[in-house]
Amino acid sequence: MARRRRVFEVFTLSFLDCICCGFGAVILFYTIVSAQAGVVHIKNIDEMTAEVNRLKDEVLTGTRGLAPLRNTLEITRDEAARASAQTNLILAELARKQEEVSVYDATSLARREHIEKLKADVRSLEAGNKRLKAGSDERAAPGQDVTSFRKIGGERRYITGLRMRGKRILILLDVSGSMLHEDLVEILRLRNTDDAHKRAAAKWRRAVETVNWLLTQVPPGSEYQIYTFNTKAQPLLPDSGKKWISRGDTPRLERAMQALQMIVPAGGTSLQNAFTEAKTLFPLPDQLVLITDGLPTQGKTVGLHKYVNSAARERLFDQAIEEIPHDVPIDCVLLPMKGDLEAAHRFWHLARMTDGTLIMPAKDWP
C-alpha cells in the first residue's frame, strides 16, 4: 500500500514556541537594559540635584555677603567723592598761591626798581648839594647874617636850597602822633606817657625848633601864618583866623612861639585837609613850607579801616595833591619815620612839581 505523503507545515507549534521564546528573550533583554539605564539616569539626577543644591547654597551665601559689599562700595564711592572735592580745593588753593607768588614777584621787582630809582635820585641830589656847597663856600652866603633863634645865641646858615623868599609865607606843621618819634614802637610807648614827656620828645622838639628857625628867616616886610594839622587843620593862633601876620608884629611872634611849646602831638594825619585849609587864606600864600614826617593816614574824613597800608597812604597823598593851591611853591621839610619808604620819593616829586625844595635835615639841624 502506498504510503501517504506527510504534509510539511512551516508554522508548527514547535516553531511558534521557538519564535515566542526568542521574542520573550529580546523583551527580557530590553527590559533589563532599560532598568539599568533608569538606575543610571536616577543616579545622574541625584548628582545633578546635589550640585544644584550646592550652587543654591553658594548663591545664598553670596547674596548674604552682597549687602556688606554694597555698603563698602557706597562708602568707597563717598570717600572717592570727598577725595575728589578735596583735590579740587587743593588745586584751587595751589593756583591761588601761584598767582599770589607771581604778584609778589612782580611787586618785589617793581619795589627793587623803585628803590634803585630812589638811590639814583639821592645820588643826583647829593651831587647837586656838593656842587652848591662848593659854590657857597667860595662866596659869602646871605644866610650867615640871619637872626639868632636860640637863647644861647649862635647863627646858622640857610640850609642849601631852603630860603624864605615869599611875601606871604604859610608854614604847615604836622602835629600828629607820629611826630613823637621815628620808630613806631616808641610812638606807642610815648602815647601812654603824660603830656610833658610828649612835648619833650626829641623828634617833636626838632619840629618846634624848625618852626622857630623859619620864623627868624621871614624877610622884613613879609607876612606869615602858621597852621597846625593832624586830622584837621587850624591856625596856631586862633585869634589870627585866616589873616596874615606881619613880620614886625613882635607880640604875636612871641605868642606863636609860646603856643608851639604847648602843643601835644596826637591823632592821625590828613594832608588833604591841610591843603584845603591853605586855599582859604586870602590872598593866597606865595610860599608854603610843609613840615611833616611821612605820607598821610586819612583823607578828608576818617576811613572805615583802623589801619592803613602803604598803598592806601599813597592814594591819600595823591588825593591831597589835588587840593594844593595853584602856582604856590611848596618846600617840604621831611623828618625821619622808619618804614615809610615811599615818603621821600613822593614829597620830592611834590617839591619838584611846584618848584619847591625837599629837605631831609640832619639830626643837628636847625
Side-chain angles (χ1 to χ4, degrees), residues 109-159:
L109 179 61
R111 286 180 180 273
R112 287 195 294 271
E113 293 177 350
H114 185 65
I115 290 173
E116 292 300 325
K117 182 180 178 181
L118 286 177
K119 289 181 179 178
D121 292 340
V122 169
R123 287 193 293 269
S124 176
L125 290 173
E126 289 177 348
N129 287 342
K130 289 181 180 179
R131 289 194 300 270
L132 291 172
K133 183 177 180 181
S136 64
D137 290 340
E138 295 175 358
R139 56 184 181 274
Q144 286 184 327
D145 57 354
V146 299
T147 306
S148 173
F149 73 97
R150 289 195 176 99
K151 293 181 180 180
I152 59 174
E155 297 178 349
R156 302 284 290 213
R157 296 185 178 185
Y158 285 107
I159 194 165

Side-chain angles (χ1 to χ4, degrees), residues 1-238:
M1 168 177 178
R3 293 177 66 184
R4 196 176 45 174
R5 192 177 181 181
R6 183 184 291 183
V7 180
F8 181 78
E9 295 179 4
V10 178
F11 295 101
T12 63
L13 180 62
S14 300
F15 178 79
L16 291 175
D17 289 339
C18 291
I19 291 299
C20 290
C21 289
F23 279 126
V26 171
I27 293 170
L28 179 61
F29 175 75
Y30 278 106
T31 301
I32 294 171
V33 171
S34 296
Q36 185 65 31
V39 172
V40 173
H41 182 67
I42 292 172
K43 184 178 179 180
N44 290 337
I45 289 176
D46 292 339
E47 291 178 353
M48 292 178 67
T49 301
E51 182 66 19
V52 169
N53 292 333
R54 187 180 65 80
L55 291 175
K56 285 183 178 180
D57 291 339
E58 290 182 358
V59 170
L60 182 59
T61 303
T63 303
R64 291 173 180 173
L66 185 60
L69 290 176
R70 287 178 177 172
N71 294 336
T72 303
L73 179 61
E74 291 297 330
I75 293 174
T76 303
R77 287 177 178 173
D78 292 340
E79 292 178 351
R82 287 194 295 269
S84 178
Q86 186 68 21
T87 301
N88 293 334
L89 289 177
I90 292 174
L91 291 175
E93 182 68 16
L94 179 61
R96 189 177 65 82
K97 292 293 184 183
Q98 289 175 345
E99 184 178 357
E100 289 180 356
V101 169
S102 62
V103 172
Y104 176 78
D105 291 340
T107 304
S108 299
L109 179 61
R111 286 180 180 273
R112 287 195 294 271
E113 293 177 350
H114 185 65
I115 290 173
E116 292 300 325
K117 182 180 178 181
L118 286 177
K119 289 181 179 178
D121 292 340
V122 169
R123 287 193 293 269
S124 176
L125 290 173
E126 289 177 348
N129 287 342
K130 289 181 180 179
R131 289 194 300 270
L132 291 172
K133 183 177 180 181
S136 64
D137 290 340
E138 295 175 358
R139 56 184 181 274
Q144 286 184 327
D145 57 354
V146 299
T147 306
S148 173
F149 73 97
R150 289 195 176 99
K151 293 181 180 180
I152 59 174
E155 297 178 349
R156 302 284 290 213
R157 296 185 178 185
Y158 285 107
I159 194 165
T160 303
L162 179 57
R163 185 166 56 89
M164 306 295 278
R165 58 194 180 279
K167 292 296 183 181
R168 295 176 301 277
I169 303 171
L170 174 61
I171 300 174
L172 289 178
L173 174 62
D174 186 349
V175 295
S176 64
S178 62
M179 296 293 285
L180 292 171
H181 203 277
E182 64 185 63
D183 185 80
L184 181 59
V185 176
E186 288 297 321
I187 292 173
L188 295 176
R189 184 185 66 82
L190 287 169
R191 282 173 55 183
N192 296 320
T193 59
D194 55 31
D195 291 348
H197 283 86
K198 294 176 183 177
R199 294 190 188 100
K203 181 178 176 181
W204 173 242
R205 298 311 309 166
R206 290 182 63 195
V208 172
E209 293 288 352
T210 300
V211 175
N212 288 341
W213 185 87
L214 292 172
L215 290 175
T216 63
Q217 311 307 313
V218 176
S222 295
E223 297 176 314
Y224 68 92
Q225 180 59 273
I226 305 172
Y227 269 66
T228 61
F229 70 95
N230 42 28
T231 57
K232 297 181 180 179
Q234 55 279 321
L236 177 63
L237 298 177

Side-chain angles (χ1 to χ4, degrees), residues 247-305:
R247 167 69 171 82
D249 193 342
T250 304
R252 282 198 174 183
L253 177 63
E254 293 179 353
R255 285 175 53 207
M257 290 185 175
Q258 292 174 359
L260 278 175
Q261 306 301 323
M262 301 306 297
I263 294 177
V264 178
T269 308
S270 174
L271 196 58
Q272 182 177 0
N273 288 338
F275 287 150
T276 300
E277 194 67 24
K279 292 195 298 184
T280 64
L281 290 169
F282 184 81
L284 288 175
D286 55 8
Q287 182 181 5
L288 193 155
V289 181
L290 173 64
I291 304 172
T292 186
D293 65 344
L295 299 177
T297 59
Q298 76 165 65
K300 187 175 182 180
T301 58
V302 179
L304 298 177
H305 301 286

